[in-house]
Amino acid sequence: MNVDLVVIGLGYVGLPLAQEAVRSGVSVVGLDLSDAVVDGLNQGRSHVDDLADADVTEMLGKGFRATTDEAVLADAAAVVICVPTPLSEDSGPDLRAVTSATKAVGRHVHEGMLVILESTTYPGTTEEVVKPLLEESGLVAGESFHLAFSPERIDPGNPKFGMRNTPKVVGGLTPECTEAAAALYGRFVDTVVRARGTREAETSKLLENTYRHINIALVNEMARFCNELNIDLWDVIRCASSKPFGFQAFYPGPGVGGHCIPIDPNYLSHNVRAKLGYPFRFVELAQEINATMPAYVTHRAQNILNEAQLAMNGANVLLLGVTYKPDIADQRESPAVPVARQLQALGAQLSYHDPHVTEWQVTGLDAKRVDDLDAAVAEADLVVLLQNHSSYDVDALANGSRRFFDTRGVSTNGNAVRL
């Protein structure tokens, strides 16, 4: 084959994967539907947080190229599908991008090809959706070509763990398929973990994120009653974290964001309901709790103004940090959006500051970006810290404000009210 690997979908998952493979000497072509993404990459411009323009330029220098032409698949020894799987209207995964990418591969699949799905989805997708589409070619998965699933584990903005040093789970349709996938990833990932099959690999990703989802919901619910009981939950967590075994710290906040935590557990819950006919109660309760946190934050913000004999209607409220996690520009499912909408519905005059977001465009939301942070903090009736970017000196900001609401529990300044 002329190409070792074609990566379909050049977003926050596919592009770092392509980068690490290229670094290790694998010949890689990126395939994406977006002309803008492809043209930008071929000109050395990155569109994801974890890669700088210089990283893309380095990739190009080592032979990487991007294309919108699926014909490249005919020359590929292996294909990895890294396309989005958002929630559909019935809370299941929207597989349209997966089926579209799979059909494209099916038009070019050949003897000996390795096809791997990385897109997060419900257990059984690889066997029930991807396999039949590929076999429309007349070739048989597990015999004519290899088929496997490997869950993506990219953590955008994580300076410690990236593609190479995060263990890679792989599960094939057959043991031979598993070994073929392990051999590919073993060229550019330090540790490969073999699952029993595709369903185990698919479910492992959902378990990881369901674990986080449920534990975040636990501390979010504790935040509510600890506030009512005048208990400092942040100090409670600090004390509990001193135990060297049996406890892992999770922290409350204004809601959950990103593609994984608010979405992935729903795939599992939807699958259980659809196939078994009963609810996955832990997940559904966690979703209920986490989804109400923006309303709780809004209520607390209103109370802070009430205590100062001020109304939310007409108040100047400054939001700090509108991304879903610190130090990145990614805004997917950010809780800042529902918080802002609910504050605006109460009549607040909103502004925002975020060092990573120059334009925050949300339908129906009127929030202007401030450039002079210190002046805006001093002028606001209420400052709400929604995301703790490392560039923020939170205690100094709290000290310079009239009222400061810290939803991340990072302030030590007595002027701040913590969630």
Side-chain angles (χ1 to χ4, degrees):
M1 293 296 117
N2 296 330
V3 180
D4 292 335
L5 174 63
V6 171
V7 178
I8 303 180
L10 298 174
Y12 80 100
V13 174
L15 196 56
L17 186 153
Q19 178 194 32
E20 202 59 60
V22 168
R23 282 176 172 172
S24 301
V26 179
S27 62
V28 182
V29 174
L31 179 61
D32 200 282
L33 291 175
S34 171
D35 289 321
V37 166
V38 167
D39 291 343
L41 290 173
N42 286 333
Q43 294 170 26
R45 296 195 305 271
S46 175
H47 58 284
V48 300
D49 287 298
D50 286 347
L51 275 75
D53 290 350
D55 295 319
V56 177
T57 300
E58 180 186 11
M59 292 170 65
L60 294 172
K62 294 183 177 180
F64 172 79
R65 63 184 175 89
T67 183
T68 58
D69 185 1
E70 69 173 54
V72 70
L73 294 166
D75 297 323
V79 178
V80 177
I81 300 172
C82 304
V83 296
T85 49
L87 285 179
S88 62
E89 292 183 0
D90 65 352
S91 296
D94 183 342
L95 296 180
R96 285 178 294 181
V98 169
T99 57
S100 177
T102 303
K103 288 176 181 178
V105 176
R107 288 190 286 269
H108 303 279
V109 67
H110 50 74
E111 290 278 347
M113 178 184 267
L114 169 63
V115 182
I116 304 173
L117 177 64
E118 282 211 10
S119 303
T120 306
T121 184
Y122 62 83
T125 301
T126 306
E127 291 186 37
E128 297 167 7
V129 177
V130 174
K131 177 177 176 285
L133 289 173
L134 294 175
E135 289 183 337
E136 288 179 4
S137 64
L139 299 179
V140 179
E143 297 179 13
S144 306
F145 63 93
H146 298 298
L147 178 61
F149 182 86
S150 179
E152 60 90 359
R153 283 174 154 179
I154 293 294
D155 183 18
N158 191 322
K160 184 177 181 181
F161 292 103
M163 175 60 65
R164 176 167 286 278
N165 66 345
T166 301
K168 203 80 175 78
V169 173
V170 297
L173 189 66
T174 66
E176 292 75 19
C177 292
T178 299
E179 291 308 314
L184 172 66
Y185 288 121
R187 296 178 67 178
F188 54 91
V189 176
D190 292 339
T191 304
V192 176
V193 179
R194 292 161 175 81
R196 291 187 63 180
T198 58
R199 293 172 187 266
E200 287 76 15
E202 289 162 339
T203 309
S204 69
K205 173 63 183 297
L206 301 183
L207 175 60
E208 292 170 19
N209 287 330
T210 298
Y211 170 82
R212 287 184 53 78
H213 187 52
I214 289 172
N215 281 282
I216 291 169
L218 170 64
V219 292
N220 277 338
E221 188 160 39
M222 288 190 70
R224 299 186 184 209
F225 68 71
C226 281
N227 177 64
E228 295 292 329
L229 296 173
N230 197 28
I231 297 170
D232 186 342
L233 176 61
W234 305 95
D235 194 55
V236 171
I237 296 171
R238 180 186 65 84
C239 293
S241 298
S242 67
K243 187 178 181 181
F245 54 89
F247 180 82
Q248 180 180 355
F250 288 84
Y251 299 92
V256 292
H259 173 75
C260 295
I261 305 301
I263 295 177
D264 293 359
N266 287 299
Y267 297 162
L268 195 52
S269 177
H270 178 271
N271 194 234
V272 169
R273 276 191 176 273
K275 292 191 173 181
L276 302 179
Y278 53 81
F280 190 170
R281 288 182 290 176
F282 267 120
V283 168
E284 294 182 8
L285 179 59
Q287 181 66 21
E288 177 185 332
I289 293 169
N290 289 334
T292 59
M293 286 308 292
Y296 177 68
V297 166
T298 301
H299 175 70
R300 289 285 303 277
Q302 194 170 24
N303 285 347
I304 292 170
L305 289 175
N306 284 342
E307 289 172 5
Q309 297 184 326
L310 294 173
M312 180 65 75
N313 190 5
N316 178 1
V317 179
L318 173 63
L319 306 179
L320 300 184
V322 298
T323 60
Y324 88 86
K325 67 180 297 186
D327 301 327
I328 65 172
D330 199 333
Q331 302 165 46
R332 289 173 300 166
E333 306 297 326
S334 171
V337 173
V339 169
R341 282 181 169 151
Q342 292 181 43
L343 290 170
Q344 182 173 274
L346 292 173
Q349 302 299 307
L350 296 178
S351 58
Y352 83 94
H353 178 274
D354 193 302
H356 302 279
V357 180
T358 55
E359 286 189 45
W360 191 31
Q361 296 181 338
V362 180
T363 302
L365 186 65
D366 183 18
K368 296 180 179 179
R369 188 180 193 276
V370 301
D371 295 318
D372 189 335
L373 177 58
D374 291 336
V377 166
E379 293 170 4
D381 294 310
L382 176 64
V383 179
V384 183
L385 178 71
L386 295 177
Q387 191 52 263
N388 181 34
H389 294 302
S390 60
S391 60
Y392 287 152
D393 184 340
V394 175
D395 283 342
L397 292 171
N399 193 52
S401 68
R402 298 173 184 173
R403 294 158 206 90
F404 195 93
F405 183 23
D406 173 12
T407 71
R408 296 293 177 176
V410 292
S411 60
T412 60
N413 191 309
N415 292 334
V417 175
R418 296 201 290 183
L419 183 68

